[in-house]
Amino acid sequence: MVKRYSRNVLTLVAAGLILGALALAFRPVAVLVDLGALRRGAMTVTIDEEGRTRVHDAYTVSTPVAGRLLRIDVEPGDPVVAGETIVARMLPTNPAVLDARTREQARATAAAARAALRLADADLLRAQAERELVVSDLQRTNALAARGIVSRAALERAEQKTRAATAAMDTADAAVAMRQAELINAEAQMIGFDDPGLAAGIGNGTTRSDEIILRAPASGYILRVLERSETTLPVGAPVVEIGDIENDLEVEVKLLSRDAVRVRVGNRVIIDNWGGENELQGRVSRVDPWGYSQVSALGVEEQRVNTVIQFTGDSAERQSLGHGFRVRTRIVIWDSDEALIVPSNALFRDGTGWAVFVLNDDRAVLTPVTIGHNNGQDAEVLSGLSLQDQVVLYPASGLADGNLIAPRQY
């Protein structure tokens, strides 16, 4: 009997230990989670994109004629005054080299012009002699008419001959001037790059300065010197860029077209990551109505829209910022000072809506919420949560409604 009783006791003890181990193994265990609190405060939704600074009205000084540009002395950053500061000097281009045939043709043309000029001079001398003769006849006719010896008709014929002789002399004089101009033009055709002194001898021996001075078209600073050394340039070649980086600086941003449709003129802009310690302020001044294709660094073709941002703060805050600098812009498309905010990493999709897990009596309670604006870090809560709620951050895929949870300790 004693032996049977001991066996029953041992069996009961073993069964109890097994049942206890099974109960311990299958009892609910709290899932460790990260918890976050809701808050009420300021919230903004921005479109972030890199941009480049530029001078809105940049002036490019170009060569007005083809010629030889002299070495430029101005440096980038030098201040200039409109209409006063000399930014470049140039000389007209040297004539082209004449080959033997062209030079002989030019010499023959010049010789013909000289002969024509001598002929015109002879015609002028003849016209002058004829005029002197008719003037003398007119004087004698006047004297005879005064004494009644000749008729009135003879006097009128003498006056008419005098006027005709005067007109003929004026015509001959004009012909001489025309032949002189033709001779100057013919001699100019013989000017070559190896005889620059010949040009000074044309035009009655007078000399002139051929230097062309290029002055600053606007006040500001030298942005770039495009041609530094002395060189020969065609007409319209760019030489220097000028702009006012203090008062005319702006930012150009190339937005994705899907972002550009959300931006309005006048939107506030926060400009940072430009190298300075403080954030700069700006506003959107223009959104182009025309988009264009651009291939990204990853080889993806994107539609971009140019957007222009004007600085609104004091220029002293961005004193070191210049033309063509890279900055990061955050265009504010929505903001609120009294938004109920939940961390975006607590949200997940539940069907077609949003939901969160709320801590309630150490358990995760699935709670549908209505979300307004979301900037990727914070989300605006319209309904479903209160300021006192604590939500599960980064909810695991296996977490279900009613699961026992506990905050993770760090």
Side-chain angles (χ1 to χ4, degrees):
M1 286 294 295
V2 175
K3 189 174 181 179
R4 183 180 298 173
Y5 177 77
S6 299
R7 186 182 299 113
N8 292 336
V9 171
L10 291 174
T11 302
L12 291 174
V13 171
L17 292 175
I18 293 172
L19 292 175
L22 292 174
L24 183 62
F26 288 100
R27 74 177 178 85
V29 178
V31 179
L32 297 179
V33 296
D34 294 320
L35 296 178
L38 277 73
R39 71 180 191 278
R40 187 174 293 278
M43 177 182 169
T44 60
V45 178
T46 62
I47 296 176
D48 300 349
E49 191 64 63
E50 285 189 350
R52 296 291 187 276
T53 61
R54 70 177 187 184
V55 174
H56 181 267
D57 292 323
Y59 293 85
T60 301
V61 180
S62 304
T63 54
V65 296
R68 181 161 55 92
L69 178 71
L70 303 180
R71 184 169 179 83
I72 294 180
D73 297 327
V74 296
E75 299 287 344
D78 289 349
V80 295
V81 179
E84 297 182 9
T85 306
I86 298 175
V87 298
R89 291 181 172 89
M90 64 180 303
L91 298 175
T93 185
N94 291 328
V97 179
L98 299 178
D99 56 51
R101 183 179 65 180
T102 304
R103 182 176 289 275
E104 291 303 319
Q105 289 174 344
R107 287 175 178 172
T109 303
R114 293 190 191 96
L117 178 59
R118 289 196 300 270
L119 179 61
D121 288 336
D123 291 339
L124 178 61
L125 290 175
R126 183 177 64 252
Q128 289 174 345
E130 291 178 354
R131 183 179 182 280
E132 290 175 356
L133 178 61
V134 296
V135 168
S136 178
D137 290 342
L138 177 62
Q139 291 175 351
R140 286 192 298 270
T141 303
N142 277 328
L144 295 175
R147 290 184 293 173
I149 298 177
V150 297
S151 64
R152 180 68 181 174
L155 178 62
E156 290 178 352
R157 283 194 297 271
E159 291 176 348
Q160 189 274 335
K161 290 181 180 180
T162 302
R163 290 193 296 270
T166 301
M169 190 183 69
D170 292 339
T171 301
D173 188 39
V176 169
M178 183 176 66
R179 298 306 180 185
Q180 287 175 342
E182 291 176 352
L183 177 59
I184 293 174
N185 181 62
E187 290 178 340
Q189 300 300 320
M190 295 188 296
I191 299 177
F193 78 100
D194 54 345
D195 51 359
L198 183 59
I202 300 176
N204 298 326
T206 58
T207 60
R208 67 184 190 276
S209 175
D210 289 337
E211 186 178 71
I212 301 172
I213 296 177
L214 306 182
R215 302 183 185 273
S219 298
Y221 297 89
I222 299 293
L223 300 179
R224 286 195 302 167
V225 178
L226 304 175
E227 293 289 348
R228 170 67 64 185
S229 300
E230 183 174 332
T231 183
T232 300
L233 297 175
V235 60
V239 177
V240 175
E241 284 189 4
I242 297 174
D244 187 358
I245 58 177
E246 291 184 354
N247 305 311
D248 202 27
L249 199 64
E250 62 185 16
V251 180
E252 182 185 34
V253 182
K254 299 178 180 180
L255 295 177
L256 292 171
S257 58
R258 64 173 178 268
D259 292 333
V261 298
R262 304 163 60 193
V263 176
R264 297 290 181 269
V265 173
N267 283 154
R268 183 168 64 92
V269 182
I270 303 170
I271 303 170
D272 58 7
N273 199 25
W274 60 278
E277 297 180 356
N278 57 316
E279 293 181 343
L280 304 178
Q281 300 297 318
R283 66 174 183 85
V284 176
S285 62
R286 189 181 77 245
V287 180
D288 286 355
W290 176 76
Y292 57 93
S293 299
Q294 177 177 302
V295 179
S296 68
L298 299 178
V300 179
E301 184 175 311
E302 301 170 334
Q303 286 300 115
R304 295 279 179 171
V305 177
N306 286 341
T307 303
V308 179
I309 298 170
Q310 296 284 347
F311 289 98
T312 57
D314 189 1
S315 60
E317 299 177 353
R318 48 180 171 83
Q319 189 171 7
S320 57
L321 201 60
H323 178 85
F325 286 34
R326 184 177 68 178
V327 298
R328 186 182 70 172
T329 61
R330 292 188 290 153
I331 303 174
V332 179
I333 59 175
W334 178 87
D335 62 349
S336 175
D337 294 331
E338 292 294 329
L340 181 60
I341 302 171
V342 63
S344 295
N345 50 35
L347 298 170
F348 59 91
R349 280 290 184 180
D350 183 29
T352 58
W354 292 100
V356 297
F357 284 113
V358 177
L359 175 64
N360 188 1
D361 293 334
D362 296 332
R363 294 190 177 274
V365 178
L366 180 64
T367 305
V369 294
T370 303
I371 299 300
H373 294 87
N374 190 338
N375 60 15
Q377 294 181 339
D378 298 321
E380 177 194 18
V381 178
L382 300 180
S383 63
L385 296 174
S386 63
L387 188 61
Q388 295 75 25
D389 290 333
Q390 284 188 305
V391 296
V392 177
L393 305 180
Y394 308 105
S397 58
L399 188 62
D401 184 28
N403 285 166
L404 189 65
I405 59 175
R408 183 179 285 112
Q409 302 297 327
Y410 292 97

